[in-house]
mmCIF file with all atom_site columns, all heavy atoms in Angstrom:
data_model
loop_
_atom_site.group_PDB
_atom_site.id
_atom_site.type_symbol
_atom_site.label_atom_id
_atom_site.label_alt_id
_atom_site.label_comp_id
_atom_site.label_asym_id
_atom_site.label_entity_id
_atom_site.label_seq_id
_atom_site.pdbx_PDB_ins_code
_atom_site.Cartn_x
_atom_site.Cartn_y
_atom_site.Cartn_z
_atom_site.occupancy
_atom_site.B_iso_or_equiv
_atom_site.pdbx_formal_charge
_atom_site.auth_seq_id
_atom_site.auth_comp_id
_atom_site.auth_asym_id
_atom_site.auth_atom_id
_atom_site.pdbx_PDB_model_num
ATOM 1   N N   . GLU B 1 87 ? -6.176  -6.729  0.282   1.00 95.00 ? 87 GLU B N   1
ATOM 2   C CA  . GLU B 1 87 ? -5.658  -7.686  -0.694  1.00 95.00 ? 87 GLU B CA  1
ATOM 3   C C   . GLU B 1 87 ? -6.500  -7.675  -1.968  1.00 95.00 ? 87 GLU B C   1
ATOM 4   O O   . GLU B 1 87 ? -5.984  -7.583  -3.072  1.00 95.00 ? 87 GLU B O   1
ATOM 5   C CB  . GLU B 1 87 ? -5.638  -9.090  -0.073  1.00 95.00 ? 87 GLU B CB  1
ATOM 6   C CG  . GLU B 1 87 ? -5.105  -10.140 -1.010  1.00 95.00 ? 87 GLU B CG  1
ATOM 7   C CD  . GLU B 1 87 ? -4.372  -11.248 -0.267  1.00 95.00 ? 87 GLU B CD  1
ATOM 8   O OE1 . GLU B 1 87 ? -4.497  -11.327 0.963   1.00 95.00 ? 87 GLU B OE1 1
ATOM 9   O OE2 . GLU B 1 87 ? -3.662  -12.029 -0.932  1.00 95.00 ? 87 GLU B OE2 1
ATOM 10  N N   . GLN B 1 88 ? -7.792  -7.720  -1.781  1.00 95.00 ? 88 GLN B N   1
ATOM 11  C CA  . GLN B 1 88 ? -8.663  -7.747  -2.955  1.00 95.00 ? 88 GLN B CA  1
ATOM 12  C C   . GLN B 1 88 ? -8.615  -6.425  -3.716  1.00 95.00 ? 88 GLN B C   1
ATOM 13  O O   . GLN B 1 88 ? -8.643  -6.389  -4.943  1.00 95.00 ? 88 GLN B O   1
ATOM 14  C CB  . GLN B 1 88 ? -10.090 -8.042  -2.531  1.00 95.00 ? 88 GLN B CB  1
ATOM 15  C CG  . GLN B 1 88 ? -11.049 -7.848  -3.688  1.00 95.00 ? 88 GLN B CG  1
ATOM 16  C CD  . GLN B 1 88 ? -12.068 -8.919  -3.765  1.00 95.00 ? 88 GLN B CD  1
ATOM 17  O OE1 . GLN B 1 88 ? -12.348 -9.569  -2.779  1.00 95.00 ? 88 GLN B OE1 1
ATOM 18  N NE2 . GLN B 1 88 ? -12.635 -9.125  -4.927  1.00 95.00 ? 88 GLN B NE2 1
ATOM 19  N N   . LEU B 1 89 ? -8.541  -5.365  -2.959  1.00 96.00 ? 89 LEU B N   1
ATOM 20  C CA  . LEU B 1 89 ? -8.442  -4.046  -3.581  1.00 96.00 ? 89 LEU B CA  1
ATOM 21  C C   . LEU B 1 89 ? -7.202  -3.997  -4.467  1.00 96.00 ? 89 LEU B C   1
ATOM 22  O O   . LEU B 1 89 ? -7.251  -3.534  -5.617  1.00 96.00 ? 89 LEU B O   1
ATOM 23  C CB  . LEU B 1 89 ? -8.353  -3.002  -2.469  1.00 96.00 ? 89 LEU B CB  1
ATOM 24  C CG  . LEU B 1 89 ? -8.893  -1.601  -2.670  1.00 96.00 ? 89 LEU B CG  1
ATOM 25  C CD1 . LEU B 1 89 ? -10.220 -1.596  -3.395  1.00 96.00 ? 89 LEU B CD1 1
ATOM 26  C CD2 . LEU B 1 89 ? -9.035  -0.931  -1.310  1.00 96.00 ? 89 LEU B CD2 1
ATOM 27  N N   . GLY B 1 90 ? -6.111  -4.502  -3.930  1.00 94.00 ? 90 GLY B N   1
ATOM 28  C CA  . GLY B 1 90 ? -4.874  -4.532  -4.706  1.00 94.00 ? 90 GLY B CA  1
ATOM 29  C C   . GLY B 1 90 ? -5.033  -5.352  -5.965  1.00 94.00 ? 90 GLY B C   1
ATOM 30  O O   . GLY B 1 90 ? -4.603  -4.959  -7.051  1.00 94.00 ? 90 GLY B O   1
ATOM 31  N N   . ARG B 1 91 ? -5.684  -6.460  -5.834  1.00 93.00 ? 91 ARG B N   1
ATOM 32  C CA  . ARG B 1 91 ? -5.868  -7.358  -6.962  1.00 93.00 ? 91 ARG B CA  1
ATOM 33  C C   . ARG B 1 91 ? -6.703  -6.684  -8.053  1.00 93.00 ? 91 ARG B C   1
ATOM 34  O O   . ARG B 1 91 ? -6.309  -6.657  -9.224  1.00 93.00 ? 91 ARG B O   1
ATOM 35  C CB  . ARG B 1 91 ? -6.576  -8.622  -6.475  1.00 93.00 ? 91 ARG B CB  1
ATOM 36  C CG  . ARG B 1 91 ? -6.414  -9.828  -7.377  1.00 93.00 ? 91 ARG B CG  1
ATOM 37  C CD  . ARG B 1 91 ? -7.393  -10.928 -6.977  1.00 93.00 ? 91 ARG B CD  1
ATOM 38  N NE  . ARG B 1 91 ? -7.473  -11.141 -5.526  1.00 93.00 ? 91 ARG B NE  1
ATOM 39  C CZ  . ARG B 1 91 ? -6.620  -11.893 -4.842  1.00 93.00 ? 91 ARG B CZ  1
ATOM 40  N NH1 . ARG B 1 91 ? -5.621  -12.479 -5.467  1.00 93.00 ? 91 ARG B NH1 1
ATOM 41  N NH2 . ARG B 1 91 ? -6.762  -12.040 -3.547  1.00 93.00 ? 91 ARG B NH2 1
ATOM 42  N N   . LEU B 1 92 ? -7.823  -6.128  -7.665  1.00 95.00 ? 92 LEU B N   1
ATOM 43  C CA  . LEU B 1 92 ? -8.716  -5.531  -8.665  1.00 95.00 ? 92 LEU B CA  1
ATOM 44  C C   . LEU B 1 92 ? -8.091  -4.292  -9.305  1.00 95.00 ? 92 LEU B C   1
ATOM 45  O O   . LEU B 1 92 ? -8.230  -4.071  -10.513 1.00 95.00 ? 92 LEU B O   1
ATOM 46  C CB  . LEU B 1 92 ? -10.062 -5.176  -8.039  1.00 95.00 ? 92 LEU B CB  1
ATOM 47  C CG  . LEU B 1 92 ? -10.891 -6.358  -7.555  1.00 95.00 ? 92 LEU B CG  1
ATOM 48  C CD1 . LEU B 1 92 ? -12.279 -5.909  -7.133  1.00 95.00 ? 92 LEU B CD1 1
ATOM 49  C CD2 . LEU B 1 92 ? -11.003 -7.430  -8.631  1.00 95.00 ? 92 LEU B CD2 1
ATOM 50  N N   . LEU B 1 93 ? -7.419  -3.506  -8.510  1.00 95.00 ? 93 LEU B N   1
ATOM 51  C CA  . LEU B 1 93 ? -6.787  -2.315  -9.069  1.00 95.00 ? 93 LEU B CA  1
ATOM 52  C C   . LEU B 1 93 ? -5.696  -2.719  -10.053 1.00 95.00 ? 93 LEU B C   1
ATOM 53  O O   . LEU B 1 93 ? -5.546  -2.114  -11.117 1.00 95.00 ? 93 LEU B O   1
ATOM 54  C CB  . LEU B 1 93 ? -6.210  -1.442  -7.955  1.00 95.00 ? 93 LEU B CB  1
ATOM 55  C CG  . LEU B 1 93 ? -7.250  -0.679  -7.132  1.00 95.00 ? 93 LEU B CG  1
ATOM 56  C CD1 . LEU B 1 93 ? -6.592  0.064   -5.976  1.00 95.00 ? 93 LEU B CD1 1
ATOM 57  C CD2 . LEU B 1 93 ? -8.025  0.298   -8.010  1.00 95.00 ? 93 LEU B CD2 1
ATOM 58  N N   . ALA B 1 94 ? -4.954  -3.753  -9.707  1.00 92.00 ? 94 ALA B N   1
ATOM 59  C CA  . ALA B 1 94 ? -3.898  -4.219  -10.613 1.00 92.00 ? 94 ALA B CA  1
ATOM 60  C C   . ALA B 1 94 ? -4.501  -4.654  -11.935 1.00 92.00 ? 94 ALA B C   1
ATOM 61  O O   . ALA B 1 94 ? -3.952  -4.388  -13.006 1.00 92.00 ? 94 ALA B O   1
ATOM 62  C CB  . ALA B 1 94 ? -3.132  -5.373  -9.976  1.00 92.00 ? 94 ALA B CB  1
ATOM 63  N N   . LYS B 1 95 ? -5.641  -5.289  -11.841 1.00 92.00 ? 95 LYS B N   1
ATOM 64  C CA  . LYS B 1 95 ? -6.312  -5.753  -13.056 1.00 92.00 ? 95 LYS B CA  1
ATOM 65  C C   . LYS B 1 95 ? -6.680  -4.572  -13.958 1.00 92.00 ? 95 LYS B C   1
ATOM 66  O O   . LYS B 1 95 ? -6.690  -4.685  -15.179 1.00 92.00 ? 95 LYS B O   1
ATOM 67  C CB  . LYS B 1 95 ? -7.567  -6.548  -12.672 1.00 92.00 ? 95 LYS B CB  1
ATOM 68  C CG  . LYS B 1 95 ? -8.073  -7.463  -13.770 1.00 92.00 ? 95 LYS B CG  1
ATOM 69  C CD  . LYS B 1 95 ? -9.304  -8.242  -13.312 1.00 92.00 ? 95 LYS B CD  1
ATOM 70  C CE  . LYS B 1 95 ? -8.964  -9.261  -12.234 1.00 92.00 ? 95 LYS B CE  1
ATOM 71  N NZ  . LYS B 1 95 ? -10.181 -9.944  -11.722 1.00 92.00 ? 95 LYS B NZ  1
ATOM 72  N N   . GLU B 1 96 ? -6.960  -3.457  -13.356 1.00 93.00 ? 96 GLU B N   1
ATOM 73  C CA  . GLU B 1 96 ? -7.302  -2.258  -14.125 1.00 93.00 ? 96 GLU B CA  1
ATOM 74  C C   . GLU B 1 96 ? -6.052  -1.442  -14.436 1.00 93.00 ? 96 GLU B C   1
ATOM 75  O O   . GLU B 1 96 ? -6.150  -0.299  -14.885 1.00 93.00 ? 96 GLU B O   1
ATOM 76  C CB  . GLU B 1 96 ? -8.291  -1.394  -13.325 1.00 93.00 ? 96 GLU B CB  1
ATOM 77  C CG  . GLU B 1 96 ? -9.577  -2.079  -12.938 1.00 93.00 ? 96 GLU B CG  1
ATOM 78  C CD  . GLU B 1 96 ? -10.566 -2.144  -14.094 1.00 93.00 ? 96 GLU B CD  1
ATOM 79  O OE1 . GLU B 1 96 ? -10.349 -1.458  -15.108 1.00 93.00 ? 96 GLU B OE1 1
ATOM 80  O OE2 . GLU B 1 96 ? -11.554 -2.906  -13.963 1.00 93.00 ? 96 GLU B OE2 1
ATOM 81  N N   . ASP B 1 97 ? -4.908  -2.014  -14.121 1.00 92.00 ? 97 ASP B N   1
ATOM 82  C CA  . ASP B 1 97 ? -3.639  -1.335  -14.363 1.00 92.00 ? 97 ASP B CA  1
ATOM 83  C C   . ASP B 1 97 ? -3.493  -0.075  -13.498 1.00 92.00 ? 97 ASP B C   1
ATOM 84  O O   . ASP B 1 97 ? -3.016  0.956   -13.972 1.00 92.00 ? 97 ASP B O   1
ATOM 85  C CB  . ASP B 1 97 ? -3.487  -1.008  -15.851 1.00 92.00 ? 97 ASP B CB  1
ATOM 86  C CG  . ASP B 1 97 ? -2.048  -0.672  -16.209 1.00 92.00 ? 97 ASP B CG  1
ATOM 87  O OD1 . ASP B 1 97 ? -1.139  -1.145  -15.508 1.00 92.00 ? 97 ASP B OD1 1
ATOM 88  O OD2 . ASP B 1 97 ? -1.844  0.090   -17.179 1.00 92.00 ? 97 ASP B OD2 1
ATOM 89  N N   . TYR B 1 98 ? -3.900  -0.202  -12.271 1.00 95.00 ? 98 TYR B N   1
ATOM 90  C CA  . TYR B 1 98 ? -3.685  0.882   -11.322 1.00 95.00 ? 98 TYR B CA  1
ATOM 91  C C   . TYR B 1 98 ? -2.814  0.385   -10.180 1.00 95.00 ? 98 TYR B C   1
ATOM 92  O O   . TYR B 1 98 ? -2.845  -0.800  -9.847  1.00 95.00 ? 98 TYR B O   1
ATOM 93  C CB  . TYR B 1 98 ? -5.020  1.410   -10.762 1.00 95.00 ? 98 TYR B CB  1
ATOM 94  C CG  . TYR B 1 98 ? -5.627  2.458   -11.658 1.00 95.00 ? 98 TYR B CG  1
ATOM 95  C CD1 . TYR B 1 98 ? -6.298  2.106   -12.820 1.00 95.00 ? 98 TYR B CD1 1
ATOM 96  C CD2 . TYR B 1 98 ? -5.485  3.806   -11.368 1.00 95.00 ? 98 TYR B CD2 1
ATOM 97  C CE1 . TYR B 1 98 ? -6.826  3.070   -13.670 1.00 95.00 ? 98 TYR B CE1 1
ATOM 98  C CE2 . TYR B 1 98 ? -6.003  4.775   -12.206 1.00 95.00 ? 98 TYR B CE2 1
ATOM 99  C CZ  . TYR B 1 98 ? -6.672  4.403   -13.350 1.00 95.00 ? 98 TYR B CZ  1
ATOM 100 O OH  . TYR B 1 98 ? -7.175  5.366   -14.182 1.00 95.00 ? 98 TYR B OH  1
#
Side-chain angles (χ1 to χ4, degrees):
Chain B
E87 180 148 13
Q88 171 138 23
L89 210 42
R91 200 193 316 277
L92 295 188
L93 287 175
K95 200 179 292 176
E96 302 281 347
D97 196 26
Y98 274 78

